[in-house]
Amino acid sequence: MADNIAHGGTTAQHRTVKRPRPVKSCLECRRRKLKCDRLLPCTQCQRSQRSCRYVADGEGGSLSDASDAETPDRPPKRNCAPESFDGNSREFLPADAAVQEDHGRRIEKLERILLDINSPSTKSSSGAHSQRPVASALTMRGLSVKGGSRTRFFGPSSARVLVNLFDEAKEFLFNRGDSADILHQFLLIYKVNKAVQEEHRKATSPIPVYVDSMTPIQKRMADVLPSRGACDRLLKIYMSRSESLYRVLHIPSFMSLYNRYWEGSQQPDYFLPQMLSILCIGYRFIGAGKGQFHGDREGIHMPTACALVRTWLDSLRGKQLVEFSSLQTEVLSLMAQRLLNSQNHETWQQLGLLVRMAMTMGLHRDPSEFAHEILPFWAEQRRKLWATILELDIHMSIQCNLPSCIRESDFTCRPPSNLDDDELYPNMIELPPSKPIEVNTNSRIQVFASRTLATRFRVVDVVNRIDALQDYQQILDIGNELEKALEDIRYVIPQRHTKDPDEAHRQWLSRVILDMNCRRPLLALYRPFALSSADAPQQIMTGYLRSCMILLSYLDEVDPMTPEYPHIWHMHHLVVRRDIMHASFGVCYYMKQIQRNAAGTQDSESSKSGSRLESVEAACAAASGSSMLLSLPRLRMTVEKVIDTMIKRISEIGTDVKDLVSLTIVFYNYQGESHEPKKEVKQALQRIVDAGFQLMHISPEEVASVAMISPTSLMQMMNFQTDPSVMANAEPYVVAMDTQHSLSDDFGIWDGEFWNPFITNQAPL
């Protein structure tokens, strides 16, 4: 017994000597008692969307009270002190008292940290970069409401939300038509828009005789194929323009199947669905509307082809659903459908199913992790297809301003190797060494893009949790990484002068694809703060404007006299159409602030925000003055060129006619060269009307015969001014109960209600 007591006393004395050691875990993981991987931010904080912070050297709490690990000679813990010791002894407190004392120390430490954070001296000494970023809700998000329960979310990159930056333009839109001439033009544009939508609906409808037929699906797919010459051309276009960033196929294997098909050999069931999807993608890149509007043998009717592919995919059962070829077809079908119908929210939903299908097949884990060895050829094909799915996920998440379907910590699959497809074959034993990134291969663009995957995933995460950010440092760090990647593109694909137009086009296309792959997330990262935050760092203000202008100037490098320029022009506006619209609104915002800074005047908004608004004006002026390429005249010229281009492509814009009208009104209200903006707006709207008549092949008389709205709904809308409760029950466009306030304060209500202020004061056409 005495020996035990003596041994216990020795152990107690040993435990009183506490060995301090540096604290390496973040504060949140220590507080929540979780394992920290010591990254910044760590994985645990990313998953819980908490602020990740580490204790700096020399700061209170930088050393732990004792070792985090148990010493080898430490005896097992007891729930109570031995009876032979005094319970009041400091060294031998009962377990409950020791726990309470430890909790007390932690609470005191947390109080000190909170007091330091909230103290005025800390805020004043830390500068603007440590302040919590604040972005206006009106320029961050919007929600359209119809029928009370039918809603749609819009994020900060939506034109519906960006219009909230321009009060004068909103007032012009909702001033109940104080000019009869402008009101008349709006009514004409409304009818043109309705005619364009109807034409678009007809053009994107499949041919019933193929879709509803009882003929076997393989026979129906073969019947819609164009001639061999047309297929060769479309296949070449797809391989050169799409099979670069989005790698889906092993090109030699597919070309072997393709040649055997035209020789009459029997091919696998998945060949025709993949072939139709590829032809649709290639055909959409050729020119405006071909194949959708004219069913000639030199093209393919995209809606019918996409519907047949979807029918084949829906017929798969059991083991067919986990075939690698089935996943390839799903990806190709999604890409073709996205080019046919640019409803980003629907594509984002379908992509979620595609991501989960890939994960059930194990593509998110690297092939080297599995016990059953996967041949090198198939391992590399899995990596390429997984990288393509990740690229689509990031792209659609940024476009929709919604979270990505998968996060960086959810997969371990390595990037593909920089190899040509000719170097890979199914029975190979070992992969050849990956080539340097400077060497051009079939996979170089995807390999380079994979280097920035982690950074771009962080952009999606940050943009969707802006309200939880504590300072600008994380935004600046991510922005610096993307800026560095953009600089690297110049060294990977340098701009070389060549007399070969095909080679010049290939180099330009590669640079634009890689640049846009980093430029789009950079704009999404900076946009909420550059366009609405009063204390955004100058790096964000200048970087956003510079990226907008670069995006809007991609085509300046292409010679318009080359024979391929019309196709390049069409493909460029087809792929980056929405990005061009967003960037144009951003440039208009800078034009507005630059002119206000130059004039030294402030409107009613200035009196509310005081000197903080002056800093926004000065920051925009400083961003414009940082380069001649960002000067005010060049900003005006660039946006005006965008409007001219969109007017020419009004039939391609489809449902974006309202966005074009809004951008036109915003630009001519803030371009600053004319003292009569209303006159210039009228002229621009007339150009939209004329372009609509010409491109839709309809006359003003035919447009005048288009019904504005059903008589019942029209009567309800006309009574809206005197009886707001009527509008709450109106059909087919029903808005929220606070519609009167929404029309002036929130431009998220867009589709039907966009035209209501003009309909209520309409004049006879």
Side-chain angles (χ1 to χ4, degrees):
M1 182 68 179
D3 292 338
N4 290 339
I5 295 176
H7 178 73
T10 303
T11 304
Q13 292 177 1
H14 172 72
R15 294 188 63 180
T16 58
V17 180
K18 297 184 178 181
R19 176 168 54 88
R21 59 184 296 185
V23 174
K24 297 183 179 179
S25 302
C26 72
L27 295 176
E28 282 294 328
C29 290
R30 291 190 66 204
R31 182 179 67 82
R32 301 169 62 201
K33 297 186 180 299
L34 298 175
K35 183 179 180 180
C36 182
D37 54 12
R38 299 171 184 174
L39 300 176
L40 184 60
C42 69
T43 303
Q44 299 288 358
C45 291
Q46 283 184 321
R47 289 177 178 174
S48 59
Q49 295 187 356
R50 298 175 183 270
S51 176
C52 186
R53 180 175 176 272
Y54 290 84
V55 179
D57 294 338
E59 185 179 347
S62 61
L63 296 178
S64 63
D65 295 334
S67 174
D68 293 338
E70 294 288 338
T71 54
D73 57 344
R74 184 173 295 175
K77 295 183 179 179
R78 300 183 180 182
N79 294 329
C80 60
E83 295 180 357
S84 57
F85 291 98
D86 184 5
N88 296 326
S89 174
R90 174 67 181 84
E91 290 81 1
F92 305 103
L93 289 174
D96 292 341
V99 171
Q100 292 177 3
E101 185 181 25
D102 181 67
H103 287 176
R105 287 196 306 269
R106 294 189 179 192
I107 291 174
E108 291 176 359
K109 182 178 178 181
L110 287 174
E111 288 176 348
R112 289 195 303 269
I113 294 174
L114 291 175
L115 289 174
D116 291 341
I117 293 176
N118 296 324
S119 63
S121 59
T122 303
K123 291 183 178 180
S124 60
S125 62
S126 59
H129 291 262
S130 65
Q131 297 179 9
R132 182 172 181 175
V134 179
S136 172
L138 285 178
T139 58
M140 283 290 299
R141 60 189 67 89
L143 189 73
S144 67
V145 183
K146 296 180 185 178
S149 61
R150 184 155 53 99
T151 61
R152 187 179 293 275
F153 172 80
F154 299 98
S157 64
S158 171
R160 307 159 188 257
V161 177
L162 292 173
V163 163
N164 287 308
L165 293 165
F166 309 95
D167 290 337
E168 291 86 348
K170 284 177 59 179
E171 183 181 356
F172 186 94
L173 285 168
F174 293 103
N175 64 0
R176 301 300 192 262
D178 60 352
S179 171
D181 293 340
I182 294 179
L183 173 61
H184 180 80
Q185 288 178 323
F186 266 98
L187 295 175
L188 288 176
I189 292 174
Y190 167 81
K191 293 190 174 185
V192 168
N193 178 61
K194 190 171 182 180
V196 169
Q197 289 181 329
E198 179 63 20
E199 189 72 15
H200 183 71
R201 184 192 64 79
K202 293 178 182 178
T204 55
S205 299
I207 302 174
V209 69
Y210 290 105
V211 178
D212 301 332
S213 174
M214 299 301 295
T215 307
I217 186 64
Q218 292 288 336
K219 177 66 168 59
R220 284 182 279 163
M221 289 190 291
D223 289 342
V224 299
L225 279 178
S227 63
R228 171 70 186 269
C231 290
D232 290 345
R233 182 189 180 197
L234 299 180
L235 183 59
K236 181 180 178 181
I237 292 173
Y238 167 82
M239 294 298 182
S240 62
R241 301 183 183 180
S242 183
E243 194 73 25
S244 54
L245 177 64
Y246 302 127
R247 294 303 317 273
V248 181
L249 305 172
H250 179 244
I251 297 176
S253 298
F254 185 84
M255 292 305 300
S256 176
L257 295 176
Y258 177 79
N259 293 326
R260 290 204 301 267
Y261 172 80
W262 290 109
E263 293 171 359
S265 301
Q266 185 71 24
Q267 299 304 313
D269 289 346
Y270 64 80
F271 171 75
L272 278 179
Q274 291 185 3
M275 182 67 179
L276 287 179
S277 299
I278 290 170
L279 296 181
C280 289
I281 297 172
Y283 206 38
R284 196 69 176 95
F285 284 152
I286 289 181
K290 287 188 177 180
Q292 298 183 37
F293 298 92
H294 307 287
D296 59 338
R297 293 300 294 172
E298 294 304 313
I300 185 170
H301 195 266
M302 291 179 60
T304 303
C306 290
L308 292 176
V309 173
R310 186 71 261 166
T311 301
W312 181 83
L313 287 170
D314 292 340
S315 67
L316 299 181
R317 296 291 183 272
K319 297 179 180 179
Q320 295 174 320
L321 295 173
V322 291
E323 288 284 350
F324 188 77
S325 58
S326 300
L327 183 60
Q328 287 177 307
T329 310
E330 285 279 5
V331 175
L332 291 171
S333 174
L334 179 70
M335 294 168 61
Q337 188 65 38
R338 185 166 66 97
L339 291 175
L340 175 64
N341 188 0
S342 58
Q343 295 295 330
N344 286 333
H345 287 81
E346 295 179 7
T347 306
W348 183 79
Q349 296 171 10
Q350 297 168 5
L351 190 59
L353 299 176
L354 186 62
V355 168
R356 283 153 181 79
M357 179 180 177
M359 296 182 75
T360 58
M361 296 172 61
L363 264 72
H364 63 300
R365 312 301 298 188
D366 192 76
S368 60
E369 299 179 15
F370 298 106
H372 296 282
E373 184 179 357
I374 298 178
L375 294 177
F377 171 82
W378 289 109
E380 192 65 13
Q381 294 306 116
R382 290 168 66 94
R383 294 187 183 106
K384 291 179 184 178
L385 189 58
W386 178 249
T388 297
I389 294 173
L390 294 181
E391 292 290 347
L392 290 170
D393 188 19
I394 293 177
H395 172 61
M396 296 313 305
S397 298
I398 292 176
Q399 288 286 338
C400 298
N401 301 110
L402 292 169
S404 58
C405 302
I406 188 171
R407 296 185 180 182
E408 181 189 0
S409 57
D410 295 337
F411 64 92
T412 59
C413 186
R414 298 199 306 266
S417 302
N418 187 30
L419 297 171
D420 275 314
D421 283 8
D422 292 335
E423 301 178 71
L424 307 174
Y425 51 92
N427 296 324
M428 65 189 310
I429 300 176
E430 185 179 1
L431 285 177
S434 180
K435 298 178 181 178
I437 196 63
E438 294 80 8
V439 178
N440 183 36
T441 66
N442 300 128
S443 302
R444 178 171 68 158
I445 292 180
Q446 188 181 63
V447 172
F448 183 88
S450 298
R451 295 181 174 184
T452 60
L453 269 176
T455 305
R456 288 181 283 136
F457 268 115
R458 288 165 59 194
V459 170
V460 176
D461 178 59
V462 167
V463 169
N464 284 279
R465 59 176 184 87
I466 283 179
D467 296 335
L469 293 177
Q470 297 299 321
D471 54 47
Y472 284 107
Q473 192 57 50
Q474 186 176 6
I475 300 170
L476 296 176
D477 292 342
I478 298 175
N480 289 332
E481 293 179 21
L482 291 174
E483 292 280 7
K484 184 179 182 301
L486 290 169
E487 289 291 331
D488 292 342
I489 297 174
R490 301 180 182 179
Y491 300 98
V492 174
I493 309 178
Q495 187 172 2
R496 296 188 178 95
H497 296 285
T498 176
K499 295 182 180 180
D500 184 4
D502 293 336
E503 177 63 19
H505 174 224
R506 187 193 64 78
Q507 292 182 12
W508 173 83
L509 184 61
S510 299
R511 286 195 304 273
V512 169
I513 291 174
L514 289 179
D515 188 273
M516 193 64 204
N517 205 43
C518 294
R519 191 81 57 189
R520 182 181 285 123
L522 184 64
L523 286 169
L525 179 69
Y526 284 168
R527 183 183 296 117
F529 308 105
L531 301 185
S532 64
S533 182
D535 62 343
Q538 190 62 42
Q539 174 183 334
I540 293 178
M541 303 298 294
T542 304
Y544 179 76
L545 179 61
R546 182 172 60 249
S547 289
C548 285
M549 290 297 291
I550 291 175
L551 187 149
L552 297 176
S553 304
Y554 282 148
L555 282 178
D556 293 350
E557 300 180 20
V558 183
D559 183 5
M561 303 306 295
T562 58
E564 289 295 317
Y565 183 80
H567 296 322
I568 297 173
W569 180 83
H570 164 74
M571 184 187 68
H572 171 72
H573 288 282
L574 174 70
V575 174
V576 298
R577 179 184 60 198
R578 294 184 183 275
D579 302 285
I580 290 174
M581 179 68 70
H582 304 157
S584 300
F585 272 104
V587 172
C588 288
Y589 175 81
Y590 276 74
M591 290 166 52
K592 166 188 170 182
Q593 298 295 353
I594 292 168
Q595 292 176 87
R596 292 177 63 181
N597 181 73
T601 59
Q602 297 180 349
D603 56 12
S604 58
E605 293 181 4
S606 304
S607 59
K608 297 179 182 179
S609 57
S611 60
R612 291 171 63 85
L613 186 60
E614 295 180 2
S615 64
V616 176
E617 298 168 350
C620 291
S624 176
S626 62
S627 172
M628 287 296 296
L629 299 178
L630 306 180
S631 62
L632 184 57
R634 186 172 179 83
L635 300 184
R636 292 194 192 103
M637 181 182 65
T638 302
V639 178
E640 192 169 16
K641 186 177 179 181
V642 168
I643 294 175
D644 293 341
T645 301
M646 288 188 170
I647 291 177
K648 294 177 182 178
R649 290 173 49 86
I650 191 171
S651 62
E652 277 290 310
I653 295 175
T655 55
D656 292 344
V657 172
K658 297 181 290 293
D659 293 355
L660 173 58
V661 171
S662 299
L663 177 61
T664 301
I665 294 174
V666 166
F667 172 73
Y668 285 105
N669 269 281
Y670 294 100
Q671 55 101 4
E673 287 189 328
S674 173
H675 298 290
E676 297 181 358
K678 186 176 295 186
K679 180 179 179 180
E680 295 197 358
V681 168
K682 178 182 175 181
Q683 295 174 352
L685 294 179
Q686 186 60 45
R687 290 165 54 206
I688 296 176
V689 172
D690 295 340
F693 291 165
Q694 181 180 358
L695 295 177
M696 298 308 302
H697 306 290
I698 54 179
S699 64
E701 292 75 16
E702 292 174 325
V703 173
S705 64
V706 178
M708 289 292 297
I709 202 165
S710 62
T712 304
S713 299
L714 178 58
M715 185 176 299
Q716 291 173 336
M717 289 182 180
M718 294 180 69
N719 293 333
F720 168 60
Q721 290 177 322
T722 58
D723 187 5
S725 63
V726 175
M727 194 63 188
N729 300 317
E731 292 291 344
Y733 300 118
V734 183
V735 297
M737 294 299 293
D738 56 344
T739 305
Q740 281 184 308
H741 303 289
S742 298
L743 287 176
S744 59
D745 296 333
D746 185 4
F747 209 64
I749 301 176
W750 187 276
D751 294 325
E753 293 75 18
F754 178 87
W755 310 101
N756 288 354
F758 311 104
I759 295 174
T760 56
N761 294 312
Q762 66 173 310
L765 294 181

